[in-house]
Amino acid sequence: MGNSNWTQLWLDYDKKGCDANKEVKVTFEGFDKADRVIASAVKELTKGLLGKEREIVLFKDESVAAEGYKLFSQDRKVLVKASDANGALYGVFALIRAEACSKDLASLDEGEMPSNPLRMTNHWDNMDGSIERGYSGQSFFFENNDIVIGERTVDYARFMASVGINGVVINNVNVKGAATYLITDRFFDKVQKMQEIFADYGIKLYLSLNFAAPIELGGLEVCDPLDEDVIAWWKEKAKEVFTRLPGFGGFLVKADSEGRPGPFTYGRTQADGANMLGDIVAPYGGIIIWRCFVYNCTQDWRDYKTDRARAGYDYFKDLDGAYHDNVILQIKNGPMDFQIREPISPLLGGLTKTNQMLEVQIAQEYTGHQIDLCYLMPMFKEVLDFHTHCCEGKDTVADVVSGRTMGNKLAGMAAVINTGNDYNWTGNYLAAANTYGFGRLAFNTELTSEEIAREWVRMSFGLEKAEEDKLVDMLLRSREIYEKYTSPLGIGWMVTPNVHYGPSVDGYEYSRWGTYHRADHLGIGVDRTDKGTGYAQQYYEPNASMYNDPATCPEELLLFFHHIPYTYKLKTGKTLIQHIYDSHFEGEAEAEELAKTWDSLEGKVPQEVFNLVKHRFEMQLYNAKEWRDQVNSYFFRKSGIADEKGREIY
Ligand code: GCV
């Protein structure tokens, strides 16, 4: 195989032998071909279909759900049925996908309707071009405290639309410096230009907001959400923003979190802050997405009572029902912070009267920095399938965040995204499986991890079946392997502080971040039961009781909920300490298998892809060995208990 044109990710039509200049016959039934989104759909059809003699009919059918589509073959025609332009665009991408996945276009009869109304990406891009927790180069939205618009902006919008994303937050939730000025005249023209590009692909643009803008931009003394001058300032600001940026979506807000300003400074609640902003953007149809990542980040490690895991629920649950209609609470999948294994946040479904949205992270902050292979769909599926028991039926996280449980319209999923200005967008080529996967899963939460992996592999590589199976299998195993050689049984946090790559078992143990494993010479884990911090009681029954008892607690989360002696027998019959040793040896060995399987794909994937990924695997193996040996040695030294199998521990 020759060079790849990986700048096009899974939309590399050249590779499939498409002639970009061919004519594809497209006709319109009820759709206006001058509509900007329909025009994009036509462009994509022209470039993306193989162009056999076939007529594509974009057919308006009001009976299809909003943003959904149906594909239906009739003689030499394919009907793309949708009730709106976004649906038609998604249908066109589905048609291109069907062809890439070798489906018979002459007998299509399928469709999808979006599971989630909001399907968003969150960029943690700073205006100096850096990306907080970015592992694939610099920002392609910002450079030198300015906005950059180019071909990449268009390609990005296409990629996102091709997997059904309909909202993008372009700047970091930590809004500092020049980013505070994104809502001023200094940047309106450029933001508008970017917004126009997004709008061509049915995507709304959103901005992260600095809650202290009234002080920093307005020269006010406070940003108290109940202060009249503050409210008046925001009113004027919103009028200006929505006038200068027609079609603008609204704001994402990180307040009272990790040093960011917020309503707590003034003795106000999170609802006071969110509702004030909600009311201000409401006349323009704007929304406020308010993050629930609020916790005390100046904890004393000696304090066993305060539990960071409790914080989200403690701060937000009492105010359930107090949030206004155009406010959505955005909740991370777990109560801590995107660890490789965490329980599901009890706020999801814990809130029953408030719009809520799930936040996941495909930027691999704690999951291998896009060096180590870690395909995250299996984790996201576990989150979505979790029964919260918030009600009878319709109680899974997928139900809650799609709006099915409460019948609300403002609901959905957001991912902290893993892209940058690297040639291949995601650093490690294989990390693009997460970019693709998140979009597909947010659009259709019924898809399996395997279906998504297979689609991505087919669209990106077009391999023979045997090789395709190998790559799909590698992706599917990767999360568990990463989990095995890093921190055990849900305890998390044994990473190098700040960097969050590589082991440092005690790195966060005596810190202010509330992230402790509490290991001593007898055992390890945090007691979050009714006798400990009481976190387990934030769940509905029967989950609360299940987590509360080590006998019923799922073992992969045992150390998250319990302080357990090293000699405790797990269900496998192994002691806890032996499990720690075994899983670390196994995880490292399995990472070696992944690397070997990749080696066997040489010549089957483009050489540059092969080389780069091979190099990443070399780094992954180094990392896996460090994790294995540091974790095992640490627990051997603490416990004094030898490995039954007599392997080398240092
Ligand atoms: C954007 C973690 C990350 C921070 C991030 C924060 C958040 O703490 O390490 O980089 O800040 O989460 O989600 O706001």
Side-chain angles (χ1 to χ4, degrees):
M1 289 210 61
N3 279 345
S4 67
N5 182 18
W6 207 274
T7 58
Q8 293 303 299
L9 291 174
W10 52 87
L11 299 183
D12 179 2
Y13 302 137
D14 295 345
K15 186 178 66 203
K16 293 191 287 150
C18 296
D19 167 9
N21 298 315
K22 71 181 175 297
E23 290 280 315
V24 172
K25 185 160 190 231
V26 187
T27 53
F28 305 88
E29 294 277 347
F31 278 117
D32 177 2
K33 67 175 169 190
D35 178 289
R36 63 198 309 167
V37 178
I38 294 295
S40 299
V42 173
K43 248 194 245 166
E44 218 59 40
L45 274 176
T46 311
K47 283 194 285 188
L49 271 191
L50 279 176
K52 302 200 189 85
E53 289 152 40
R54 188 166 279 120
E55 182 182 340
I56 313 295
V57 187
L58 299 185
F59 190 98
K60 190 158 187 162
D61 179 347
E62 302 291 348
S63 72
V64 180
E67 294 191 292
Y69 65 85
K70 284 184 184 158
L71 302 180
F72 186 65
S73 309
Q74 212 175 47
D75 310 322
R76 299 294 302 158
K77 288 184 189 168
V78 178
L79 268 57
V80 178
K81 293 184 179 178
S83 59
D84 51 32
N86 273 21
L89 179 63
Y90 301 148
V92 162
F93 278 118
L95 183 56
I96 292 168
R97 187 162 62 232
E99 190 179 62
C101 292
S102 328
K103 285 194 189 159
D104 179 9
L105 298 201
S107 59
L108 282 177
D109 185 5
E110 60 182 56
E112 271 180 330
M113 58 176 223
S115 312
N116 293 294
L118 288 169
R119 307 172 298 278
M120 301 183 69
T121 57
N122 290 182
H123 286 259
W124 286 356
D125 292 24
N126 300 315
M127 292 204 67
D128 63 3
S130 62
I131 301 180
E132 184 156 347
R133 312 305 177 185
Y135 311 105
S136 6
Q138 298 282 104
S139 172
F140 49 81
F141 289 146
F142 307 117
E143 193 180 271
N144 295 327
N145 293 316
D146 205 349
I147 293 178
V148 189
I149 293 171
E151 242 175 75
R152 218 163 228 249
T153 325
V154 181
D155 276 344
Y156 174 77
R158 292 175 52 232
F159 299 146
M160 293 303 108
S162 77
V163 289
I165 297 295
N166 63 1
V168 175
V169 184
I170 59 172
N171 65 311
N172 188 357
V173 286
N174 291 325
V175 188
K176 296 177 195 166
T180 303
Y181 292 82
L182 281 168
I183 51 169
T184 69
D185 206 35
R186 198 195 289 181
F187 293 114
F188 281 141
D189 287 346
K190 287 185 178 165
V191 174
Q192 181 56 18
K193 212 169 158 195
M194 191 179 292
Q195 181 160 266
E196 295 283 337
I197 293 172
F198 286 3
D200 285 344
Y201 289 90
I203 296 168
K204 265 187 191 288
L205 186 147
Y206 297 77
L207 291 171
S208 293
L209 193 67
N210 184 347
F211 195 78
I215 301 174
E216 292 183 33
L217 295 178
L220 301 186
E221 306 246 304
V222 294
C223 56
D224 178 351
L226 302 191
D227 181 283
E228 276 179 21
D229 291 340
V230 170
I231 297 172
W233 186 86
W234 275 121
K235 273 195 179 145
E236 274 307 301
K237 186 43 81 183
K239 190 166 155 203
E240 193 189 352
V241 169
F242 284 89
T243 311
R244 296 294 302 274
L245 304 175
F248 178 65
F251 297 110
L252 172 65
V253 191
K254 171 176 179 175
D256 289 313
S257 171
E258 302 185 328
R260 301 310 299 148
F264 281 168
T265 312
Y266 306 97
R268 312 299 185 195
T269 65
Q270 296 296 297
D272 290 333
N275 289 340
M276 181 273 290
L277 289 173
D279 293 350
I280 272 156
V281 301
Y284 311 98
I287 60 171
I288 295 297
I289 305 172
W290 190 267
R291 294 178 86 226
C292 295
F293 187 56
V294 181
Y295 69 98
N296 172 8
C297 66
T298 55
Q299 197 181 321
D300 183 345
W301 59 267
R302 299 166 192 85
D303 168 9
Y304 275 64
K305 289 217 174 69
T306 307
D307 180 2
R308 170 168 165 179
R310 292 190 57 116
Y313 192 95
D314 284 345
Y315 286 128
F316 287 90
K317 171 66 184 171
D318 284 352
L319 298 165
D320 190 13
Y323 293 88
H324 293 177
D325 285 352
N326 65 334
V327 171
I328 312 178
L329 298 189
Q330 185 165 296
I331 305 166
K332 289 191 181 187
N333 60 276
M336 297 296 274
D337 192 8
F338 300 136
Q339 302 301 292
I340 189 67
R341 176 77 66 177
E342 284 187 46
I344 279 69
S345 168
L347 256 189
L348 291 162
L351 300 168
T352 55
K353 300 186 235 55
T354 301
N355 296 323
Q356 53 205 288
M357 214 166 139
L358 172 66
E359 178 179 319
V360 296
Q361 191 187 39
I362 53 176
Q364 288 177 238
E365 176 178 358
Y366 293 97
T367 54
H369 282 203
Q370 287 147 240
I371 297 170
D372 298 22
L373 184 64
C374 195
Y375 173 63
L376 291 160
M377 294 322 113
M379 181 201 286
F380 301 161
K381 286 293 287 184
E382 283 167 15
V383 174
L384 290 166
D385 291 346
F386 180 75
H387 284 280
T388 64
H389 293 283
C390 64
C391 58
E392 287 279 314
K394 294 193 187 159
D395 72 328
T396 64
V397 170
D399 290 327
V400 170
V401 302
S402 63
R404 286 193 294 272
T405 307
M406 295 187 294
N408 53 322
K409 291 252 165 3
L410 287 184
M413 286 171 68
V416 179
I417 194 166
N418 58 355
T419 51
N421 72 354
D422 274 359
Y423 164 80
N424 65 7
W425 295 84
T426 54
N428 190 334
Y429 288 89
L430 302 186
N434 286 326
T435 325
Y436 180 90
F438 168 73
R440 290 290 289 131
L441 188 60
F443 198 84
N444 182 353
T445 51
E446 297 289 304
L447 291 172
T448 66
S449 302
E450 178 173 349
E451 281 167 333
I452 295 171
R454 201 166 285 282
E455 272 183 11
W456 177 77
V457 170
R458 283 205 179 161
M459 295 193 69
S460 308
F461 292 102
L463 299 167
E464 295 296 323
K465 182 75 169 61
E467 275 83 39
E468 177 184 302
D469 285 347
K470 281 189 194 174
L471 194 43
V472 168
D473 185 60
M474 284 172 67
L475 290 169
L476 291 176
R477 294 177 62 204
S478 58
R479 182 257 184 143
E480 204 183 315
I481 293 175
Y482 186 83
E483 181 181 23
K484 279 185 177 175
Y485 63 74
T486 55
S487 55
L489 302 181
I491 193 72
W493 295 109
M494 294 180 174
V495 283
T496 311
N498 307 318
V499 178
H500 300 169
Y501 185 79
S504 175
V505 180
D506 277 341
Y508 274 117
E509 192 57 15
Y510 305 102
S511 75
R512 63 182 173 91
W513 296 98
T515 46
Y516 315 116
H517 55 64
R518 307 287 190 206
D520 56 26
H521 68 295
L522 295 175
I524 172 181
V526 180
D527 184 354
R528 293 191 160 105
T529 68
D530 50 355
K531 298 191 184 58
T533 70
Y535 165 78
Q537 278 57 57
Q538 292 184 337
Y539 292 88
Y540 296 101
E541 289 296 354
N543 291 337
S545 299
M546 172 183 75
Y547 288 134
N548 204 55
D549 181 352
T552 53
C553 180
E555 279 188 342
E556 67 273 11
L557 288 169
L558 193 59
L559 302 180
F560 191 94
F561 284 97
H562 301 275
H563 187 84
I564 298 287
Y566 296 120
T567 50
Y568 178 90
K569 281 250 162 74
L570 297 176
K571 292 190 185 100
T572 52
K574 280 182 194 176
T575 59
L576 171 62
I577 190 77
Q578 194 56 40
H579 171 86
I580 293 177
Y581 297 147
D582 284 354
S583 60
H584 283 78
F585 280 111
E586 270 165 37
E588 194 280 335
E590 288 171 20
E592 286 188 34
E593 284 167 24
L594 288 182
K596 275 204 194 105
T597 311
W598 182 254
D599 282 345
S600 75
L601 294 176
E602 183 161 20
K604 310 285 181 194
V605 298
Q607 195 61 36
E608 87 208 21
V609 175
F610 178 80
N611 293 343
L612 183 138
V613 175
K614 183 176 170 62
H615 182 57
R616 299 270 153 140
F617 272 123
E618 283 159 11
M619 294 197 279
Q620 176 167 359
L621 289 185
Y622 179 83
N623 187 40
K625 283 200 177 78
E626 283 306 312
W627 272 99
R628 178 193 70 189
D629 293 341
Q630 290 196 30
V631 171
N632 283 347
S633 302
Y634 179 95
F635 287 102
F636 173 58
R637 292 175 190 182
K638 279 258 162 178
S639 69
I641 303 173
D643 171 33
E644 279 170 5
K645 297 181 187 156
R647 290 162 292 196
E648 207 153 11
I649 293 182
Y650 302 86

